[in-house]
Amino acid sequence: MTGRSPKFLRGMLTSAASVMLAGSLLATPFAAQADDRREPSILTFGIVPQQSASRLAQMWGPLLERAGQDLGLEIRFKTTRDIPTFEACLAAGAYDIAYMNPAHYTIFAEISGYRAIARQTEKKLHGLLVVQRDSALQSIADLEGSEIAFPSPGAFGASIVPRAEIRAQGVEFSPKYVRSHDSVYRAVASGLIPAGGGVLRTFNAIPQDLRDQLRVIYRTEGYTPHAIAGLGSIDLALLRAIQETFVGLSIETPDLVASVGMNGIEAASHGDWDDVRGLALTADATGISTEDAAACPSG
């Protein structure tokens, strides 16, 4: 392929992705509303607040800016102060595009009409349990009767799955919800709480001096990772273009994709999360907020 331009390569690499997306979207209930779909000149892109807003803006800003330039529109970075507020925004359909965890996707695809267009390449999401590096804790069994920090009830890899696997081992514990993944790591490192839940991507993204204070004692089973998903009210052609742009940028500018903690971005379809659906998660069982849409900040 010597001499081919990046744009040519993007077309070659994403033509199949376009067919996949069109098929997955046309098979959904909201396809009947195609005449009402819109083509906005500004897209809001909501990011689940696993880390601080300033850190997320630093990580995602360059990628979203470049994607907007390639699409010929503005993509506005959005996040919230915590994951429950982010869930309220997903319930309200407040974001045109959103990066959400697997449990969020399976629930808000039904509630708000989000449909997956992309996900991290060749990746399974594993939850982690971390302790202080010099802690005597070595396994889940050692956590009996302990308080364990989690980002929120609805954080999939860092909370839902670890909680379920700890309970499956018959270990009793008290969950403490502390807003974000980074808050978990800081609380454990400082000795405020003996153990906490996270995921590998956010663990690797924290400063080295903080990571050096922690040790992983458990890794959960793996599941399909976070979804990049668009609202069904957006024009199908635009959703396909967004998908092609992110998949293409994964090839053309891998450094921008690496900056958000991904080794690549590939096309996704609704059925990719059937493994998560197999867990039969409900909003009530996970603690995911689906009703208080008024809690989503406007503007």
Side-chain angles (χ1 to χ4, degrees), residues 2-299:
T2 303
R4 299 296 192 183
S5 69
K7 296 295 184 184
F8 176 86
L9 291 175
R10 178 184 301 176
M12 291 288 289
L13 290 163
T14 61
S15 59
S18 298
V19 173
M20 181 192 301
L21 177 64
S24 64
L25 290 177
L26 290 172
T28 61
F30 54 74
Q33 304 170 358
D35 289 343
D36 297 326
R37 287 192 176 126
R38 57 196 174 89
E39 292 189 55
S41 59
I42 298 173
L43 290 172
T44 56
F45 196 117
I47 308 293
V48 61
Q50 295 174 314
Q51 295 152 293
S52 69
S54 60
R55 175 65 175 146
L56 289 174
Q58 180 184 32
M59 293 168 62
W60 283 86
L63 178 62
L64 298 184
E65 182 178 4
R66 172 60 188 273
Q69 291 171 355
D70 284 9
L71 287 162
L73 48 76
E74 181 183 351
I75 300 180
R76 291 182 179 172
F77 165 87
K78 296 283 186 179
T79 193
T80 56
R81 67 181 181 272
D82 53 37
I83 293 174
T85 306
F86 180 75
E87 292 163 356
C89 291
L90 291 178
Y95 307 122
D96 297 309
I97 310 292
Y99 176 69
M100 62 186 78
N101 78 37
H104 288 155
Y105 178 65
T106 61
I107 289 171
F108 292 106
E110 300 299 322
I111 292 173
S112 308
Y114 282 101
R115 192 58 69 212
I117 57 177
R119 63 185 178 94
Q120 184 170 348
T121 301
E122 299 177 355
K123 166 75 175 180
K124 287 291 186 179
L125 178 63
H126 296 269
L128 305 175
L129 288 173
V130 301
V131 298
Q132 277 188 318
R133 180 164 293 278
D134 59 357
S135 170
L137 300 172
Q138 299 293 330
S139 68
I140 283 182
D142 294 334
L143 297 174
E144 176 67 40
S146 295
E147 193 171 42
I148 304 176
F150 300 101
S152 77
F156 181 75
S159 183
I160 293 173
V161 176
R163 286 178 0 234
E165 295 190 12
I166 295 169
R167 290 185 177 117
Q169 294 193 29
V171 172
E172 297 293 329
F173 66 96
S174 299
K176 180 177 179 61
Y177 301 111
V178 296
R179 181 171 292 188
S180 72
H181 290 226
D182 286 1
S183 297
V184 169
Y185 301 137
R186 288 193 296 269
V188 174
S190 65
L192 294 175
I193 201 160
V199 298
L200 185 61
R201 188 185 66 80
T202 60
F203 182 71
N204 287 338
I206 59 177
Q208 185 66 49
D209 61 341
L210 177 57
R211 191 160 63 249
D212 288 344
Q213 299 175 59
L214 300 169
R215 176 168 49 85
V216 176
I217 63 166
Y218 183 74
R219 176 173 165 170
T220 73
E221 294 292 323
Y223 294 90
T224 303
H226 289 49
I228 297 176
L231 278 177
S233 58
I234 297 175
D235 183 77
L236 280 175
L238 178 55
L239 284 177
R240 284 196 294 271
I242 295 167
Q243 181 189 60
E244 292 176 1
T245 295
F246 278 98
V247 173
L249 288 176
S250 179
I251 304 300
E252 296 172 26
T253 58
D255 288 349
L256 287 181
V257 175
S259 71
V260 301
M262 298 185 190
N263 62 343
I265 296 175
E266 64 184 18
S269 61
H270 189 64
D272 290 350
W273 282 267
D274 284 348
D275 60 337
V276 180
R277 293 185 186 91
L279 298 174
L281 299 175
T282 65
D284 287 344
T286 59
I288 290 175
S289 171
T290 63
E291 297 181 357
D292 190 13
C296 178
S298 60

